[in-house]
Amino acid sequence: MDLEQHRAWVHVDQAKGRQRAIAVPLNAQAMVVLREQQGQHPTRVFVYEGEPVTRANNHAWRKALRRAGIENLRWHDLRHTWASWHVQAGTPLNVLQELGGWATLEMVLRYAHLGANHLAEHAERIASPRVIRTNSGTAIKNTLPKSLAGY
């Protein structure tokens, strides 16, 4: 954890691919949560009754899920939710790849279908009327046919 740089680290031995450490930038909300935890333990961020929480996917996690009426949720699903929220908020896929530490864009493309906002500006590029020249030299205004006007 590097609170000065607003960064958390996933060390090589903790990373799924175990090829490199991953720097995770921390947003303002994450920084607030971390600062609230400071001083509760000398080396760990999250504690329960004074003892460090060393595993997230444990009995307490499963019990909390039962109390909340949530079925079939794995701890790793939260990573997928995080990535989905990023795509829906318009985070570019290459940026999400870096944020999530995925080695290939192919892995990130699993989330691409969730957001199309980034496509809207590109679709608008051809929205204005255009002049088209035919073989006979006649200028025709390119407008939407009446049959498609309602779409």
Side-chain angles (χ1 to χ4, degrees), residues 33-95:
V33 170
L34 293 172
R35 295 220 189 273
E36 287 173 351
Q37 298 301 312
Q38 277 186 314
Q40 294 190 33
H41 193 272
T43 59
R44 299 298 179 123
V45 176
F46 298 104
V47 298
Y48 177 73
E49 294 182 354
E51 294 299 316
V53 175
T54 58
R55 289 188 56 216
N57 191 13
N58 59 19
H59 176 72
W61 166 258
R62 290 185 295 277
K63 186 176 176 182
L65 290 176
R66 276 193 304 276
R67 281 194 319 259
I70 299 171
E71 297 178 18
N72 301 322
L73 180 69
R74 301 166 302 152
W75 181 256
H76 188 74
D77 294 338
L78 299 178
R79 176 173 164 85
H80 291 272
T81 300
W82 168 85
S84 299
W85 287 349
H86 265 287
V87 169
Q88 292 168 349
T91 301
L93 297 180
N94 62 316
V95 173

Side-chain angles (χ1 to χ4, degrees), residues 20 22-25 79 82-83 95-103 108:
R20 61 184 174 87
I22 302 167
V24 181
R79 176 173 164 85
W82 168 85
V95 173
L96 182 57
Q97 179 182 353
E98 286 188 60
L99 285 171
W102 285 285
V108 182

Side-chain angles (χ1 to χ4, degrees), residues 10-22 101:
V10 177
H11 295 280
V12 176
D13 61 329
Q14 299 166 323
K16 188 174 181 181
R18 299 188 190 274
Q19 294 179 358
R20 61 184 174 87
I22 302 167

Side-chain angles (χ1 to χ4, degrees), residues 99-115:
L99 285 171
W102 285 285
T104 66
L105 190 57
E106 182 181 4
M107 293 300 292
V108 182
L109 289 174
R110 293 178 180 192
Y111 308 100
H113 68 282
L114 298 172

